[in-house]
Amino acid sequence: QAQLVESGGGLVQPGGSLRLSCSTSGLNLDVYTIGWFRQAPGKAREGVASINTNTRSTRYAESVKGRFTVSRDNAKDTVYLQMNSLTPEDTAVYYCAAGFPITLVPGFIGTEDEYDYWGQGTQVNVSS
């Protein structure tokens, strides 16, 4: 019953901004951690950011810290990823996922197998 749907991807110029949305249903966001992952062609998925909506704690990969912000809306059904100062290296398919990561170290979002539910992804292309 749990579903996650990403939206907001597209083409943006370097230095620009983009806001991704993760619309959820069938999930208690006071329990699950929502993570954002990205995957570039030929590369493994990497964790970008996460939010625990119970504790309000957020985590960011070092590559995006200071540029990306993850948040939840007032209805607690949508999680956002605000991406600023985008570079071509940010080009990837971005996924949101729900799970219970337990490996809590700086700059580490969690492993893929720690997330139980995944969206279909949204393409982000940073190019001039």
Side-chain angles (χ1 to χ4, degrees), residues 6 35-39 45 93-97 118-122:
E6 305 93 338
W36 285 96
F37 291 75
R38 66 185 181 186
Q39 186 169 21
R45 289 187 186 182
V93 177
Y94 284 72
Y95 302 85
C96 63
W118 292 78
Q120 296 299 310
T122 185

Side-chain angles (χ1 to χ4, degrees), residues 56-100:
R56 298 295 191 272
S57 64
T58 58
R59 307 177 71 85
Y60 299 94
E62 289 299 319
S63 59
V64 306
K65 189 174 184 179
R67 300 188 297 121
F68 290 12
T69 303
V70 63
S71 62
R72 187 181 72 177
D73 73 359
N74 293 330
K76 300 183 179 180
D77 61 351
T78 301
V79 173
Y80 302 100
L81 183 68
Q82 178 67 46
M83 307 186 296
N84 299 326
S85 302
L86 288 164
T87 74
E89 289 70 35
D90 296 315
T91 296
V93 177
Y94 284 72
Y95 302 85
C96 63
F100 302 97

Side-chain angles (χ1 to χ4, degrees), residues 4 22 24 27 29 32-36 49-53 70 79 96-99 109 115:
L4 299 89
C22 177
T24 71
L27 291 170
L29 294 187
Y32 280 91
T33 292
I34 302 297
W36 285 96
S50 69
I51 182 169
N52 183 304
T53 54
V70 63
V79 173
C96 63
I109 309 306
Y115 289 84

